[in-house]
Amino acid sequence: MAKYIVEHSGPLYGEVEISGAKNAALPILAATVLTDGICEINEVPRLKDIDVMCRILRSLGAKVEEDWEEHTITVDGSGIHISEVPYDLVKLMRASIFVMGPLLARLGKATIAQPGGCAIGDRPINLHAKGLRALGGRILISDDMVYANADSLTGALVYLDFPSVGATENIMMAAAVAKGTTIIENAAEEPEIVDLASFLNRMGAKIKGAGTDTIRIEGVEKLHGTRHAVIPDRIETGTFMVAAAITRGNVLIKNCLPDHVRPVIAKLIECGAVIQDELEGMRVRGDINKLVATDIKTLPYPGFPTDMQAPFMALLTTVSGSSTVIETVFENRFMHTAELSKMGANIRVEGKNAYVPGDKCPLEGTQVVSTDLRAGAALVLAGLVAKGTTEVSQIHHVERGYENFVEKMSGLGAKIRKVED
Ligand code: EPZ
């Protein structure tokens, strides 16, 4: 297995270009199942998860062309006729579940493996099923498989007990071509939901309210092909913002949408980082003030993103003073604390709370394990400011979510290289 070798790197300087958002591109690619037309998706990040989604679309009968010079994927959905998603592909990537709603709407049937849990939690799909059942779907969930079918789909009122991103997306895609109106209450408000809704509306859907907690979808007969450019990745943006802060550097982040990272901006400013809007992007400086502690509580958007919890925690181990981090979205998203503690961070976890003593700069370089993609990024950030060398293993997690991670980090002066074990 490959690993990253990260040396103490000093302040990062320069500029970095943010790629398209993985968590927008995946549901948008799944939504191409809804039409027999041709869809051209631009600004797609070249990631393993995107490759898996392309393989899934091909297995359903779609023609998928990838042009990585242009970061463009073109999907011709006219040949889609298979409703069974290959088991091995679903087990590779949880987000495969995003094709369930579109398949049910397009073919009236979907057979897909339970995506199953992962390191950060059980990841149930009960809210996905609740919404699709409300639309008229018959959803049978066995221990390892999901069988869905429907004669037709009819609009309904769906209340989400938790503002699940994936459930909101699956329901919105199926409702786009259901008969009548669907209202999703307590919907997720993430920017990726807004991006999916704008893609669907370009296909001819009638969706209003995406980005708020109430989404209104007026079903239409048919959706047509279209072209769409995916929004920049707000979690990659946040990760590089923290990289600038933790190394006390000065980095210009290009092709980002500051509006999508307001909580990360607010928390970095509380720590003493300086953030300036410039013509070409957002400049993050950790080299002006002494950085101090702050507390973090993760919440569904527009709260502090759970995906930024681990990277931000790495920063908090190096600032002056102690911080408290509360994780409210996933039940087991503190595995990185044990790895950071191997580096001398001495973090105490009690249930949803992690107590992070500061002033641990420099941390001690050592061998650590990446337990999920954001934890892996956090360990690399910690390695940049640790004494000596830090070896991060299981980095396939990281490469699922960060395009050209080593090249982009190295371009800012990070001493990081990838080695095969
Ligand atoms: C999406 O996952 C993202 N993945 C995650 O990013 C992100 O952390 C998460 O949203 C929260 O923002 C993609 O978009 C591909 P949820 P998703 O459904 O849709 C519970 C990354 O790092 N829940 O909002 O699976 C669930 O257990 C990944 O890129 C139910 O109880 O997240 C969790 O506790 C990691 N029943 C909470 O909701 C359901 O039916 C949030 O899950 C669905 C979810």
Side-chain angles (χ1 to χ4, degrees), residues 362-400:
L363 293 164
E364 290 293 327
T366 185
Q367 292 179 332
V368 290
V369 180
S370 162
T371 47
D372 74 270
L373 72 115
R374 309 305 173 182
L379 294 169
V380 169
L381 297 183
L384 296 177
V385 295
K387 261 196 308 211
T389 302
T390 301
E391 285 189 11
V392 184
S393 60
Q394 301 292 318
I395 57 160
H396 57 281
H397 290 297
V398 183
E399 299 191 329
R400 289 182 49 198

Short mmCIF file of all heavy atoms in Angstrom, two decimals, residues 362-400:
data_model
loop_
_atom_site.label_atom_id
_atom_site.label_comp_id
_atom_site.label_asym_id
_atom_site.label_seq_id
_atom_site.Cartn_x
_atom_site.Cartn_y
_atom_site.Cartn_z
N PRO A 362 6.61 22.05 18.33
CA PRO A 362 6.25 21.13 17.23
C PRO A 362 5.79 19.79 17.75
O PRO A 362 6.20 19.35 18.82
CB PRO A 362 7.58 20.97 16.49
CG PRO A 362 8.62 21.14 17.56
CD PRO A 362 8.04 22.08 18.60
N LEU A 363 4.91 19.18 16.98
CA LEU A 363 4.52 17.80 17.23
C LEU A 363 5.72 16.92 16.86
O LEU A 363 6.70 17.40 16.28
CB LEU A 363 3.31 17.44 16.34
CG LEU A 363 2.01 18.18 16.67
CD1 LEU A 363 1.02 18.06 15.52
CD2 LEU A 363 1.40 17.65 17.95
N GLU A 364 5.62 15.64 17.22
CA GLU A 364 6.71 14.71 16.90
C GLU A 364 6.34 13.90 15.66
O GLU A 364 5.28 13.27 15.64
CB GLU A 364 6.89 13.70 18.06
CG GLU A 364 7.46 14.28 19.34
CD GLU A 364 8.91 14.72 19.16
OE1 GLU A 364 9.64 14.07 18.37
OE2 GLU A 364 9.30 15.73 19.77
N GLY A 365 7.18 13.91 14.65
CA GLY A 365 6.93 13.07 13.48
C GLY A 365 6.98 11.61 13.86
O GLY A 365 7.80 11.22 14.69
N THR A 366 6.07 10.80 13.30
CA THR A 366 6.07 9.35 13.57
C THR A 366 5.21 8.66 12.50
O THR A 366 4.82 9.29 11.53
CB THR A 366 5.53 9.07 14.98
OG1 THR A 366 5.65 7.67 15.24
CG2 THR A 366 4.07 9.48 15.10
N GLN A 367 4.97 7.36 12.69
CA GLN A 367 4.12 6.63 11.73
C GLN A 367 2.66 6.74 12.18
O GLN A 367 2.35 6.42 13.33
CB GLN A 367 4.55 5.15 11.68
CG GLN A 367 5.94 5.00 11.05
CD GLN A 367 6.38 3.54 11.00
OE1 GLN A 367 5.96 2.75 11.85
NE2 GLN A 367 7.20 3.21 10.02
N VAL A 368 1.79 7.17 11.30
CA VAL A 368 0.36 7.30 11.62
C VAL A 368 -0.47 6.70 10.48
O VAL A 368 0.04 6.49 9.37
CB VAL A 368 -0.02 8.78 11.85
CG1 VAL A 368 0.57 9.29 13.16
CG2 VAL A 368 0.42 9.65 10.67
N VAL A 369 -1.76 6.44 10.79
CA VAL A 369 -2.65 5.77 9.84
C VAL A 369 -3.83 6.67 9.50
O VAL A 369 -4.47 7.23 10.39
CB VAL A 369 -3.19 4.45 10.44
CG1 VAL A 369 -4.11 3.74 9.45
CG2 VAL A 369 -2.03 3.52 10.84
N SER A 370 -4.12 6.77 8.20
CA SER A 370 -5.26 7.58 7.77
C SER A 370 -6.52 6.73 7.86
O SER A 370 -6.64 5.70 7.20
CB SER A 370 -5.02 7.99 6.31
OG SER A 370 -6.21 8.39 5.73
N THR A 371 -7.48 7.13 8.70
CA THR A 371 -8.67 6.28 8.92
C THR A 371 -9.84 6.69 8.03
O THR A 371 -10.76 5.92 7.82
CB THR A 371 -9.11 6.40 10.40
OG1 THR A 371 -9.13 7.80 10.73
CG2 THR A 371 -8.14 5.65 11.31
N ASP A 372 -9.85 7.93 7.55
CA ASP A 372 -10.84 8.33 6.54
C ASP A 372 -10.23 9.50 5.78
O ASP A 372 -9.18 10.01 6.18
CB ASP A 372 -12.20 8.67 7.14
CG ASP A 372 -12.22 10.02 7.86
OD1 ASP A 372 -11.94 10.05 9.06
OD2 ASP A 372 -12.48 11.04 7.19
N LEU A 373 -10.87 9.91 4.72
CA LEU A 373 -10.14 10.84 3.84
C LEU A 373 -9.81 12.17 4.51
O LEU A 373 -8.73 12.73 4.30
CB LEU A 373 -10.90 11.05 2.54
CG LEU A 373 -12.17 11.85 2.48
CD1 LEU A 373 -11.92 13.05 1.64
CD2 LEU A 373 -13.26 11.03 1.85
N ARG A 374 -10.65 12.66 5.39
CA ARG A 374 -10.36 13.95 6.03
C ARG A 374 -9.36 13.76 7.17
O ARG A 374 -8.54 14.64 7.43
CB ARG A 374 -11.64 14.62 6.53
CG ARG A 374 -12.73 14.70 5.49
CD ARG A 374 -12.29 15.41 4.19
NE ARG A 374 -13.35 15.31 3.18
CZ ARG A 374 -13.24 15.78 1.96
NH1 ARG A 374 -12.13 16.37 1.57
NH2 ARG A 374 -14.20 15.66 1.08
N ALA A 375 -9.39 12.62 7.80
CA ALA A 375 -8.40 12.33 8.86
C ALA A 375 -7.01 12.26 8.23
O ALA A 375 -6.04 12.78 8.78
CB ALA A 375 -8.76 11.02 9.54
N GLY A 376 -6.95 11.66 7.04
CA GLY A 376 -5.65 11.55 6.35
C GLY A 376 -5.09 12.92 6.03
O GLY A 376 -3.90 13.20 6.25
N ALA A 377 -5.96 13.81 5.57
CA ALA A 377 -5.51 15.18 5.25
C ALA A 377 -5.02 15.86 6.52
O ALA A 377 -3.99 16.55 6.52
CB ALA A 377 -6.66 15.96 4.64
N ALA A 378 -5.72 15.62 7.62
CA ALA A 378 -5.34 16.24 8.91
C ALA A 378 -3.95 15.77 9.34
O ALA A 378 -3.13 16.58 9.83
CB ALA A 378 -6.36 15.88 9.98
N LEU A 379 -3.66 14.51 9.11
CA LEU A 379 -2.36 13.97 9.53
C LEU A 379 -1.23 14.53 8.66
O LEU A 379 -0.11 14.76 9.14
CB LEU A 379 -2.39 12.44 9.49
CG LEU A 379 -3.33 11.81 10.52
CD1 LEU A 379 -3.53 10.32 10.25
CD2 LEU A 379 -2.81 12.04 11.94
N VAL A 380 -1.52 14.78 7.39
CA VAL A 380 -0.52 15.42 6.53
C VAL A 380 -0.25 16.84 7.04
O VAL A 380 0.90 17.25 7.19
CB VAL A 380 -0.99 15.45 5.07
CG1 VAL A 380 -0.08 16.34 4.21
CG2 VAL A 380 -1.03 14.04 4.49
N LEU A 381 -1.30 17.56 7.37
CA LEU A 381 -1.13 18.94 7.86
C LEU A 381 -0.29 18.93 9.14
O LEU A 381 0.62 19.75 9.31
CB LEU A 381 -2.49 19.58 8.15
CG LEU A 381 -3.43 19.76 6.94
CD1 LEU A 381 -4.71 20.48 7.39
CD2 LEU A 381 -2.77 20.53 5.82
N ALA A 382 -0.58 17.97 10.02
CA ALA A 382 0.20 17.87 11.27
C ALA A 382 1.65 17.54 10.95
O ALA A 382 2.58 18.10 11.56
CB ALA A 382 -0.40 16.80 12.17
N GLY A 383 1.86 16.70 9.95
CA GLY A 383 3.23 16.31 9.58
C GLY A 383 4.04 17.47 9.05
O GLY A 383 5.27 17.54 9.22
N LEU A 384 3.36 18.46 8.45
CA LEU A 384 4.08 19.62 7.90
C LEU A 384 4.78 20.41 9.00
O LEU A 384 5.81 21.04 8.77
CB LEU A 384 3.11 20.55 7.16
CG LEU A 384 2.40 19.99 5.92
CD1 LEU A 384 1.44 21.04 5.37
CD2 LEU A 384 3.42 19.57 4.86
N VAL A 385 4.20 20.39 10.21
CA VAL A 385 4.75 21.21 11.31
C VAL A 385 5.37 20.35 12.41
O VAL A 385 5.84 20.86 13.42
CB VAL A 385 3.67 22.13 11.91
CG1 VAL A 385 3.20 23.16 10.88
CG2 VAL A 385 2.47 21.34 12.45
N ALA A 386 5.39 19.01 12.17
CA ALA A 386 5.99 18.14 13.20
C ALA A 386 7.50 18.09 13.02
O ALA A 386 8.03 18.33 11.93
CB ALA A 386 5.41 16.74 13.06
N LYS A 387 8.19 17.77 14.12
CA LYS A 387 9.65 17.60 14.04
C LYS A 387 9.93 16.32 13.25
O LYS A 387 9.22 15.33 13.40
CB LYS A 387 10.23 17.43 15.46
CG LYS A 387 10.83 18.70 16.03
CD LYS A 387 11.74 18.43 17.23
CE LYS A 387 11.05 17.59 18.28
NZ LYS A 387 11.46 17.84 19.66
N GLY A 388 10.95 16.36 12.39
CA GLY A 388 11.34 15.13 11.71
C GLY A 388 10.34 14.70 10.64
O GLY A 388 9.72 15.53 9.98
N THR A 389 10.19 13.37 10.52
CA THR A 389 9.42 12.80 9.42
C THR A 389 8.15 12.12 9.93
O THR A 389 8.17 11.45 10.96
CB THR A 389 10.30 11.73 8.71
OG1 THR A 389 11.49 12.37 8.26
CG2 THR A 389 9.56 11.13 7.52
N THR A 390 7.06 12.33 9.20
CA THR A 390 5.78 11.66 9.51
C THR A 390 5.39 10.80 8.32
O THR A 390 5.40 11.27 7.18
CB THR A 390 4.68 12.70 9.78
OG1 THR A 390 5.09 13.52 10.88
CG2 THR A 390 3.34 12.04 10.10
N GLU A 391 5.13 9.50 8.61
CA GLU A 391 4.70 8.58 7.56
C GLU A 391 3.21 8.34 7.71
O GLU A 391 2.75 7.87 8.75
CB GLU A 391 5.43 7.24 7.71
CG GLU A 391 6.87 7.26 7.27
CD GLU A 391 7.46 5.83 7.24
OE1 GLU A 391 6.69 4.86 7.35
OE2 GLU A 391 8.69 5.74 7.12
N VAL A 392 2.44 8.73 6.69
CA VAL A 392 0.98 8.55 6.73
C VAL A 392 0.62 7.37 5.83
O VAL A 392 0.83 7.44 4.61
CB VAL A 392 0.25 9.82 6.25
CG1 VAL A 392 -1.27 9.64 6.39
CG2 VAL A 392 0.72 11.05 7.04
N SER A 393 0.08 6.30 6.41
CA SER A 393 -0.28 5.13 5.59
C SER A 393 -1.79 5.13 5.31
O SER A 393 -2.52 6.00 5.78
CB SER A 393 0.10 3.84 6.32
OG SER A 393 -0.58 3.80 7.56
N GLN A 394 -2.25 4.17 4.52
CA GLN A 394 -3.67 4.05 4.10
C GLN A 394 -4.10 5.32 3.35
O GLN A 394 -5.21 5.83 3.55
CB GLN A 394 -4.59 3.81 5.32
CG GLN A 394 -4.28 2.57 6.12
CD GLN A 394 -4.58 1.29 5.34
OE1 GLN A 394 -5.58 1.18 4.65
NE2 GLN A 394 -3.66 0.35 5.43
N ILE A 395 -3.23 5.83 2.50
CA ILE A 395 -3.54 7.13 1.88
C ILE A 395 -4.51 7.02 0.71
O ILE A 395 -4.91 8.03 0.12
CB ILE A 395 -2.26 7.83 1.38
CG1 ILE A 395 -1.50 6.93 0.40
CG2 ILE A 395 -1.39 8.25 2.55
CD1 ILE A 395 -0.54 7.67 -0.47
N HIS A 396 -4.96 5.80 0.41
CA HIS A 396 -5.98 5.68 -0.65
C HIS A 396 -7.24 6.46 -0.24
O HIS A 396 -7.94 7.02 -1.07
CB HIS A 396 -6.33 4.22 -0.92
CG HIS A 396 -6.80 3.47 0.29
ND1 HIS A 396 -5.91 2.98 1.26
CD2 HIS A 396 -8.04 3.17 0.75
CE1 HIS A 396 -6.60 2.39 2.22
NE2 HIS A 396 -7.89 2.49 1.94
N HIS A 397 -7.43 6.55 1.11
CA HIS A 397 -8.57 7.36 1.58
C HIS A 397 -8.41 8.81 1.09
O HIS A 397 -9.33 9.42 0.58
CB HIS A 397 -8.59 7.38 3.12
CG HIS A 397 -8.97 6.08 3.75
ND1 HIS A 397 -10.19 5.49 3.56
CD2 HIS A 397 -8.28 5.25 4.55
CE1 HIS A 397 -10.25 4.36 4.25
NE2 HIS A 397 -9.10 4.18 4.86
N VAL A 398 -7.21 9.36 1.27
CA VAL A 398 -6.97 10.77 0.96
C VAL A 398 -7.15 11.01 -0.54
O VAL A 398 -7.77 11.99 -0.96
CB VAL A 398 -5.55 11.20 1.39
CG1 VAL A 398 -5.34 12.69 1.13
CG2 VAL A 398 -5.31 10.88 2.85
N GLU A 399 -6.69 10.05 -1.33
CA GLU A 399 -6.71 10.26 -2.79
C GLU A 399 -8.12 10.14 -3.35
O GLU A 399 -8.37 10.49 -4.50
CB GLU A 399 -5.74 9.31 -3.46
CG GLU A 399 -4.33 9.57 -2.96
CD GLU A 399 -3.25 8.88 -3.75
OE1 GLU A 399 -3.52 7.78 -4.28
OE2 GLU A 399 -2.16 9.46 -3.86
N ARG A 400 -9.07 9.66 -2.51
CA ARG A 400 -10.47 9.63 -2.94
C ARG A 400 -11.05 11.04 -2.97
O ARG A 400 -12.03 11.32 -3.66
CB ARG A 400 -11.30 8.79 -1.95
CG ARG A 400 -11.04 7.31 -2.00
CD ARG A 400 -11.95 6.59 -1.04
NE ARG A 400 -13.34 7.02 -1.21
CZ ARG A 400 -14.28 6.82 -0.29
NH1 ARG A 400 -13.98 6.22 0.83
NH2 ARG A 400 -15.51 7.22 -0.50
#
